[in-house]
Structures are given as structure tokens and as C-alpha cells.
Amino acid sequence: MAHVSAAERRPQLIKAAIDLMTREGVAAGSTRAIAAELGVAQATVHYTFGTKEDLYRAVMEQLTHDLIAQVERAAPADAGFEETVATLAAALWQTVREQPTAHQLLTELSMFALRTPRLQEALEGHYGEVAAVTTKLVTEAAERTGHQLAQPAETLARFFLAGFDGLSAQHLSLPDEEAELTCLQALVSAVVALAGGRMELVTMPTS
């Protein structure tokens, strides 16, 4: 049998892990089961990644990069600020509707990582990258359209992602297409209003 290098095995094992855990959940993703999914020896997984946590980290990175790439491709080149934000939000929402299992797996891996010290860095990297890309897209849209942001782009990005994560969880748990569309429109409207200084922030009570 021809030798396959670790560099070649790496994407194969990541795909096998994604396929397996998408079907059966993170708990089923042992190195033995992932190796069997691809039809290789368990030692191949450890040789390629070192540990199961290292493989899980690679899976999170792959899922994140794939979703981000889809959204970045949808960024319009000549639209206004509001239309740009709406287009990007719609593209991201389309990934939830068309690839719900990818979002579910990312959520499961995130929860698993919260209780796994070796995956804390991967979890921070996942959310950090998503926030950074969203911040970049907001910044670029504002600069291209000459839109003066009333709030920092990072604040707008975090606000949008907080609402979007909640809406995604609702879609996975209790889907309602009509209500989801209204909520998505409301979220985008709130982001645009906040960006334009048309939303007054209430004073929060202090303890």
C-alpha cells in the first residue's frame, strides 16, 4: 500500500471527524471511531494530530473557515452600508438554513471545549476569528460607503453575533421560518441603527 504523508492525511481525517460527529455527535468522536470512519489505523490519527483535542481543534478551525469564506464571498462591492450589512447577515443566515448540522457541531464542540482545558485556546480562537472577521467586514463597509460609525466596529460585531447566535440556537431547537425572518430583520435594523447613532442606549443599574 502506498505511503500517505501526514499532510495528505490531515484533511482526510478532519473530514472523517466532521462526517462522524455530524451524524453521531461529539461524544462519538473517539480517535478509534474517526480512524474507522476513514478506514485507517487508530495510530494514524495520533501520528497526524498527536491527540484527540488537537484533531478537535482542527475540526473547529475547518468549520469556522468554511462558514467565514461563504459570508466573505457574499460581500457586495458597490452597495450602501445598510444593504451591505443586510446582505452579509442574509448570507450567514443561509449557512444556518442550508448547513444546520455544521452550526450544531460547532455549538457542541464549543460546549465541549468549555470543559476541556486543552481546547480553551481553540474556543477563544474560534470566537476571536469570527468576531475579527465580522469587525473587518463592518469596518470595510463603513469606509467604502463613507458611513461614520457611532459605535466601534468591534462593538457592532459583538452585538450582531450575540443576537445571531441566539437566533441560530432557536432555529436548531424550535424552527419557525416566519418568526426567524422577522427577528433577523429586527437584528439587522438594530445594528444599522446602533451604527448610525439612532439607537439610544439605556443606563444599566449598577450593583
Side-chain angles (χ1 to χ4, degrees), residues 164-187:
F164 193 90
D165 284 348
L167 190 56
S168 300
Q170 288 183 18
H171 177 75
L172 294 173
S173 307
L174 189 65
D176 183 327
E177 185 173 346
E178 183 176 351
E180 289 161 2
L181 177 58
T182 300
C183 290
L184 183 63
Q185 290 174 312
L187 176 60

PDB file of all heavy atoms in Angstrom, residues 164-187:
ATOM      1  N   PHE A 164     -27.246  36.903  16.677  1.00  0.00           N
ATOM      2  CA  PHE A 164     -27.278  35.849  15.668  1.00  0.00           C
ATOM      3  C   PHE A 164     -27.118  34.474  16.289  1.00  0.00           C
ATOM      4  O   PHE A 164     -27.780  33.520  15.874  1.00  0.00           O
ATOM      5  CB  PHE A 164     -26.180  36.088  14.620  1.00  0.00           C
ATOM      6  CG  PHE A 164     -26.348  35.244  13.394  1.00  0.00           C
ATOM      7  CD1 PHE A 164     -27.093  35.708  12.324  1.00  0.00           C
ATOM      8  CD2 PHE A 164     -25.777  33.991  13.310  1.00  0.00           C
ATOM      9  CE1 PHE A 164     -27.265  34.928  11.186  1.00  0.00           C
ATOM     10  CE2 PHE A 164     -25.948  33.205  12.192  1.00  0.00           C
ATOM     11  CZ  PHE A 164     -26.693  33.673  11.117  1.00  0.00           C
ATOM     12  N   ASP A 165     -26.243  34.351  17.276  1.00  0.00           N
ATOM     13  CA  ASP A 165     -26.061  33.063  17.954  1.00  0.00           C
ATOM     14  C   ASP A 165     -27.365  32.605  18.595  1.00  0.00           C
ATOM     15  O   ASP A 165     -27.718  31.417  18.545  1.00  0.00           O
ATOM     16  CB  ASP A 165     -24.964  33.174  19.017  1.00  0.00           C
ATOM     17  CG  ASP A 165     -23.574  33.187  18.421  1.00  0.00           C
ATOM     18  OD1 ASP A 165     -23.440  32.887  17.219  1.00  0.00           O
ATOM     19  OD2 ASP A 165     -22.618  33.508  19.151  1.00  0.00           O
ATOM     20  N   GLY A 166     -28.086  33.546  19.217  1.00  0.00           N
ATOM     21  CA  GLY A 166     -29.359  33.196  19.832  1.00  0.00           C
ATOM     22  C   GLY A 166     -30.382  32.768  18.803  1.00  0.00           C
ATOM     23  O   GLY A 166     -31.132  31.798  19.007  1.00  0.00           O
ATOM     24  N   LEU A 167     -30.422  33.474  17.680  1.00  0.00           N
ATOM     25  CA  LEU A 167     -31.367  33.132  16.622  1.00  0.00           C
ATOM     26  C   LEU A 167     -31.032  31.767  16.013  1.00  0.00           C
ATOM     27  O   LEU A 167     -31.937  30.983  15.687  1.00  0.00           O
ATOM     28  CB  LEU A 167     -31.334  34.216  15.543  1.00  0.00           C
ATOM     29  CG  LEU A 167     -32.422  34.178  14.464  1.00  0.00           C
ATOM     30  CD1 LEU A 167     -33.809  34.195  15.094  1.00  0.00           C
ATOM     31  CD2 LEU A 167     -32.253  35.348  13.507  1.00  0.00           C
ATOM     32  N   SER A 168     -29.748  31.474  15.885  1.00  0.00           N
ATOM     33  CA  SER A 168     -29.329  30.173  15.358  1.00  0.00           C
ATOM     34  C   SER A 168     -29.752  29.048  16.290  1.00  0.00           C
ATOM     35  O   SER A 168     -30.222  27.994  15.846  1.00  0.00           O
ATOM     36  CB  SER A 168     -27.804  30.145  15.177  1.00  0.00           C
ATOM     37  OG  SER A 168     -27.385  31.135  14.275  1.00  0.00           O
ATOM     38  N   ALA A 169     -29.585  29.269  17.605  1.00  0.00           N
ATOM     39  CA  ALA A 169     -29.981  28.260  18.586  1.00  0.00           C
ATOM     40  C   ALA A 169     -31.488  28.013  18.519  1.00  0.00           C
ATOM     41  O   ALA A 169     -31.950  26.871  18.630  1.00  0.00           O
ATOM     42  CB  ALA A 169     -29.580  28.700  19.982  1.00  0.00           C
ATOM     43  N   GLN A 170     -32.254  29.065  18.326  1.00  0.00           N
ATOM     44  CA  GLN A 170     -33.705  28.911  18.193  1.00  0.00           C
ATOM     45  C   GLN A 170     -34.053  28.105  16.950  1.00  0.00           C
ATOM     46  O   GLN A 170     -34.951  27.261  16.975  1.00  0.00           O
ATOM     47  CB  GLN A 170     -34.380  30.278  18.138  1.00  0.00           C
ATOM     48  CG  GLN A 170     -34.393  31.025  19.456  1.00  0.00           C
ATOM     49  CD  GLN A 170     -35.142  32.335  19.357  1.00  0.00           C
ATOM     50  OE1 GLN A 170     -35.917  32.558  18.435  1.00  0.00           O
ATOM     51  NE2 GLN A 170     -34.908  33.218  20.315  1.00  0.00           N
ATOM     52  N   HIS A 171     -33.343  28.367  15.851  1.00  0.00           N
ATOM     53  CA  HIS A 171     -33.610  27.641  14.608  1.00  0.00           C
ATOM     54  C   HIS A 171     -33.342  26.150  14.775  1.00  0.00           C
ATOM     55  O   HIS A 171     -34.094  25.312  14.272  1.00  0.00           O
ATOM     56  CB  HIS A 171     -32.745  28.194  13.481  1.00  0.00           C
ATOM     57  CG  HIS A 171     -32.897  27.455  12.190  1.00  0.00           C
ATOM     58  ND1 HIS A 171     -33.999  27.582  11.367  1.00  0.00           N
ATOM     59  CD2 HIS A 171     -32.086  26.547  11.579  1.00  0.00           C
ATOM     60  CE1 HIS A 171     -33.863  26.803  10.311  1.00  0.00           C
ATOM     61  NE2 HIS A 171     -32.712  26.157  10.411  1.00  0.00           N
ATOM     62  N   LEU A 172     -32.266  25.827  15.492  1.00  0.00           N
ATOM     63  CA  LEU A 172     -31.923  24.426  15.701  1.00  0.00           C
ATOM     64  C   LEU A 172     -32.884  23.746  16.674  1.00  0.00           C
ATOM     65  O   LEU A 172     -33.151  22.555  16.559  1.00  0.00           O
ATOM     66  CB  LEU A 172     -30.490  24.311  16.238  1.00  0.00           C
ATOM     67  CG  LEU A 172     -29.371  24.752  15.284  1.00  0.00           C
ATOM     68  CD1 LEU A 172     -28.024  24.745  16.004  1.00  0.00           C
ATOM     69  CD2 LEU A 172     -29.314  23.846  14.058  1.00  0.00           C
ATOM     70  N   SER A 173     -33.414  24.520  17.626  1.00  0.00           N
ATOM     71  CA  SER A 173     -34.248  23.934  18.675  1.00  0.00           C
ATOM     72  C   SER A 173     -35.736  24.006  18.384  1.00  0.00           C
ATOM     73  O   SER A 173     -36.479  23.054  18.632  1.00  0.00           O
ATOM     74  CB  SER A 173     -33.967  24.642  20.014  1.00  0.00           C
ATOM     75  OG  SER A 173     -32.601  24.640  20.318  1.00  0.00           O
ATOM     76  N   LEU A 174     -36.206  25.151  17.873  1.00  0.00           N
ATOM     77  CA  LEU A 174     -37.636  25.365  17.652  1.00  0.00           C
ATOM     78  C   LEU A 174     -37.817  26.218  16.400  1.00  0.00           C
ATOM     79  O   LEU A 174     -38.111  27.420  16.480  1.00  0.00           O
ATOM     80  CB  LEU A 174     -38.264  26.057  18.871  1.00  0.00           C
ATOM     81  CG  LEU A 174     -39.790  26.165  18.910  1.00  0.00           C
ATOM     82  CD1 LEU A 174     -40.424  24.779  18.998  1.00  0.00           C
ATOM     83  CD2 LEU A 174     -40.223  27.027  20.097  1.00  0.00           C
ATOM     84  N   PRO A 175     -37.618  25.637  15.224  1.00  0.00           N
ATOM     85  CA  PRO A 175     -37.650  26.422  13.978  1.00  0.00           C
ATOM     86  C   PRO A 175     -39.018  27.019  13.679  1.00  0.00           C
ATOM     87  O   PRO A 175     -40.045  26.389  13.894  1.00  0.00           O
ATOM     88  CB  PRO A 175     -37.251  25.391  12.917  1.00  0.00           C
ATOM     89  CG  PRO A 175     -37.570  24.058  13.507  1.00  0.00           C
ATOM     90  CD  PRO A 175     -37.352  24.200  14.978  1.00  0.00           C
ATOM     91  N   ASP A 176     -38.986  28.266  13.211  1.00  0.00           N
ATOM     92  CA  ASP A 176     -40.188  28.977  12.781  1.00  0.00           C
ATOM     93  C   ASP A 176     -39.726  29.979  11.731  1.00  0.00           C
ATOM     94  O   ASP A 176     -39.246  31.060  12.059  1.00  0.00           O
ATOM     95  CB  ASP A 176     -40.845  29.687  13.967  1.00  0.00           C
ATOM     96  CG  ASP A 176     -42.141  30.397  13.586  1.00  0.00           C
ATOM     97  OD1 ASP A 176     -42.247  30.889  12.447  1.00  0.00           O
ATOM     98  OD2 ASP A 176     -43.045  30.475  14.434  1.00  0.00           O
ATOM     99  N   GLU A 177     -39.855  29.621  10.473  1.00  0.00           N
ATOM    100  CA  GLU A 177     -39.273  30.395   9.379  1.00  0.00           C
ATOM    101  C   GLU A 177     -39.753  31.847   9.369  1.00  0.00           C
ATOM    102  O   GLU A 177     -38.952  32.770   9.204  1.00  0.00           O
ATOM    103  CB  GLU A 177     -39.603  29.726   8.046  1.00  0.00           C
ATOM    104  CG  GLU A 177     -38.938  30.400   6.856  1.00  0.00           C
ATOM    105  CD  GLU A 177     -39.139  29.618   5.570  1.00  0.00           C
ATOM    106  OE1 GLU A 177     -39.549  28.446   5.634  1.00  0.00           O
ATOM    107  OE2 GLU A 177     -38.870  30.188   4.502  1.00  0.00           O
ATOM    108  N   GLU A 178     -41.038  32.053   9.554  1.00  0.00           N
ATOM    109  CA  GLU A 178     -41.574  33.413   9.504  1.00  0.00           C
ATOM    110  C   GLU A 178     -41.045  34.261  10.658  1.00  0.00           C
ATOM    111  O   GLU A 178     -40.608  35.401  10.467  1.00  0.00           O
ATOM    112  CB  GLU A 178     -43.101  33.373   9.551  1.00  0.00           C
ATOM    113  CG  GLU A 178     -43.748  34.753   9.428  1.00  0.00           C
ATOM    114  CD  GLU A 178     -45.261  34.669   9.388  1.00  0.00           C
ATOM    115  OE1 GLU A 178     -45.804  33.553   9.289  1.00  0.00           O
ATOM    116  OE2 GLU A 178     -45.902  35.740   9.453  1.00  0.00           O
ATOM    117  N   ALA A 179     -41.071  33.707  11.865  1.00  0.00           N
ATOM    118  CA  ALA A 179     -40.576  34.442  13.025  1.00  0.00           C
ATOM    119  C   ALA A 179     -39.077  34.696  12.918  1.00  0.00           C
ATOM    120  O   ALA A 179     -38.592  35.772  13.304  1.00  0.00           O
ATOM    121  CB  ALA A 179     -40.882  33.658  14.304  1.00  0.00           C
ATOM    122  N   GLU A 180     -38.336  33.731  12.389  1.00  0.00           N
ATOM    123  CA  GLU A 180     -36.886  33.878  12.256  1.00  0.00           C
ATOM    124  C   GLU A 180     -36.541  35.017  11.307  1.00  0.00           C
ATOM    125  O   GLU A 180     -35.618  35.796  11.565  1.00  0.00           O
ATOM    126  CB  GLU A 180     -36.267  32.568  11.776  1.00  0.00           C
ATOM    127  CG  GLU A 180     -36.292  31.470  12.833  1.00  0.00           C
ATOM    128  CD  GLU A 180     -36.116  30.088  12.236  1.00  0.00           C
ATOM    129  OE1 GLU A 180     -35.927  29.970  11.004  1.00  0.00           O
ATOM    130  OE2 GLU A 180     -36.166  29.119  13.011  1.00  0.00           O
ATOM    131  N   LEU A 181     -37.275  35.123  10.201  1.00  0.00           N
ATOM    132  CA  LEU A 181     -37.012  36.192   9.245  1.00  0.00           C
ATOM    133  C   LEU A 181     -37.267  37.558   9.880  1.00  0.00           C
ATOM    134  O   LEU A 181     -36.473  38.487   9.726  1.00  0.00           O
ATOM    135  CB  LEU A 181     -37.887  36.029   8.004  1.00  0.00           C
ATOM    136  CG  LEU A 181     -37.765  37.139   6.949  1.00  0.00           C
ATOM    137  CD1 LEU A 181     -36.317  37.268   6.473  1.00  0.00           C
ATOM    138  CD2 LEU A 181     -38.703  36.867   5.773  1.00  0.00           C
ATOM    139  N   THR A 182     -38.370  37.661  10.631  1.00  0.00           N
ATOM    140  CA  THR A 182     -38.680  38.920  11.307  1.00  0.00           C
ATOM    141  C   THR A 182     -37.596  39.273  12.323  1.00  0.00           C
ATOM    142  O   THR A 182     -37.158  40.432  12.409  1.00  0.00           O
ATOM    143  CB  THR A 182     -40.042  38.828  12.025  1.00  0.00           C
ATOM    144  OG1 THR A 182     -41.066  38.561  11.063  1.00  0.00           O
ATOM    145  CG2 THR A 182     -40.366  40.126  12.748  1.00  0.00           C
ATOM    146  N   CYS A 183     -37.153  38.284  13.083  1.00  0.00           N
ATOM    147  CA  CYS A 183     -36.107  38.519  14.088  1.00  0.00           C
ATOM    148  C   CYS A 183     -34.794  38.905  13.425  1.00  0.00           C
ATOM    149  O   CYS A 183     -34.060  39.774  13.939  1.00  0.00           O
ATOM    150  CB  CYS A 183     -35.920  37.281  14.956  1.00  0.00           C
ATOM    151  SG  CYS A 183     -37.293  36.944  16.072  1.00  0.00           S
ATOM    152  N   LEU A 184     -34.467  38.280  12.294  1.00  0.00           N
ATOM    153  CA  LEU A 184     -33.238  38.624  11.580  1.00  0.00           C
ATOM    154  C   LEU A 184     -33.312  40.061  11.071  1.00  0.00           C
ATOM    155  O   LEU A 184     -32.336  40.821  11.171  1.00  0.00           O
ATOM    156  CB  LEU A 184     -33.002  37.656  10.428  1.00  0.00           C
ATOM    157  CG  LEU A 184     -31.704  37.854   9.637  1.00  0.00           C
ATOM    158  CD1 LEU A 184     -30.492  37.638  10.539  1.00  0.00           C
ATOM    159  CD2 LEU A 184     -31.646  36.895   8.446  1.00  0.00           C
ATOM    160  N   GLN A 185     -34.462  40.435  10.531  1.00  0.00           N
ATOM    161  CA  GLN A 185     -34.650  41.816  10.064  1.00  0.00           C
ATOM    162  C   GLN A 185     -34.513  42.796  11.231  1.00  0.00           C
ATOM    163  O   GLN A 185     -33.890  43.856  11.088  1.00  0.00           O
ATOM    164  CB  GLN A 185     -36.028  41.970   9.421  1.00  0.00           C
ATOM    165  CG  GLN A 185     -36.167  41.253   8.080  1.00  0.00           C
ATOM    166  CD  GLN A 185     -37.593  41.316   7.545  1.00  0.00           C
ATOM    167  OE1 GLN A 185     -38.551  41.042   8.262  1.00  0.00           O
ATOM    168  NE2 GLN A 185     -37.732  41.697   6.288  1.00  0.00           N
ATOM    169  N   ALA A 186     -35.089  42.439  12.372  1.00  0.00           N
ATOM    170  CA  ALA A 186     -35.007  43.306  13.545  1.00  0.00           C
ATOM    171  C   ALA A 186     -33.564  43.437  14.022  1.00  0.00           C
ATOM    172  O   ALA A 186     -33.113  44.532  14.410  1.00  0.00           O
ATOM    173  CB  ALA A 186     -35.897  42.755  14.665  1.00  0.00           C
ATOM    174  N   LEU A 187     -32.820  42.337  13.984  1.00  0.00           N
ATOM    175  CA  LEU A 187     -31.423  42.360  14.413  1.00  0.00           C
ATOM    176  C   LEU A 187     -30.599  43.258  13.505  1.00  0.00           C
ATOM    177  O   LEU A 187     -29.818  44.095  13.976  1.00  0.00           O
ATOM    178  CB  LEU A 187     -30.854  40.937  14.419  1.00  0.00           C
ATOM    179  CG  LEU A 187     -29.363  40.795  14.751  1.00  0.00           C
ATOM    180  CD1 LEU A 187     -29.064  41.354  16.144  1.00  0.00           C
ATOM    181  CD2 LEU A 187     -28.936  39.329  14.657  1.00  0.00           C
TER     182      LEU A 187
END
